[in-house]
Amino acid sequence: ALPEAAEDFSTVPAGPLVLEGTGGLRLFYQESPAGGSYTPLATLRETEGLAQALAGESVEVTLQLVTGGKNLFCLLTYS
């Protein structure tokens, strides 16, 4: 189960992976001035070029959680 601890955002920067409501995942690949209420799950550190890469009509995004010692990583691949 995913955690539910929503936070209010007036704007959302590029990079957050959030839980929207009770079951939707949203990746903010570019800044969103709309804001909203989301539960933060992870943050992409390197977002440069992501908006351009995901701008196609059909894009497949795969998220994979990988543990490494005490750290948890989220790998993002797209095609």
Side-chain angles (χ1 to χ4, degrees), residues 2-5 17-26 37-41:
L2 294 171
E4 290 184 44
L17 173 65
V18 298
L19 178 63
E20 183 175 29
T22 58
L25 291 177
R26 176 178 277 194
S37 182
Y38 308 104
T39 299
L41 299 175

Side-chain angles (χ1 to χ4, degrees), residues 2-79:
L2 294 171
E4 290 184 44
E7 298 178 12
D8 291 326
F9 293 86
S10 57
T11 61
V12 184
L17 173 65
V18 298
L19 178 63
E20 183 175 29
T22 58
L25 291 177
R26 176 178 277 194
L27 171 63
F28 285 92
Y29 59 89
Q30 60 187 13
E31 185 175 327
S32 172
S37 182
Y38 308 104
T39 299
L41 299 175
T43 301
L44 299 175
R45 289 185 278 180
E46 297 178 22
T47 60
E48 191 171 318
L50 190 56
Q52 183 179 0
L54 297 176
E57 287 185 29
S58 178
V59 177
E60 181 176 325
V61 175
T62 303
L63 297 170
Q64 179 182 4
L65 294 177
V66 179
T67 57
K70 295 181 180 180
N71 298 317
L72 184 65
F73 300 95
C74 181
L75 299 177
L76 171 72
T77 56
Y78 52 89
S79 58

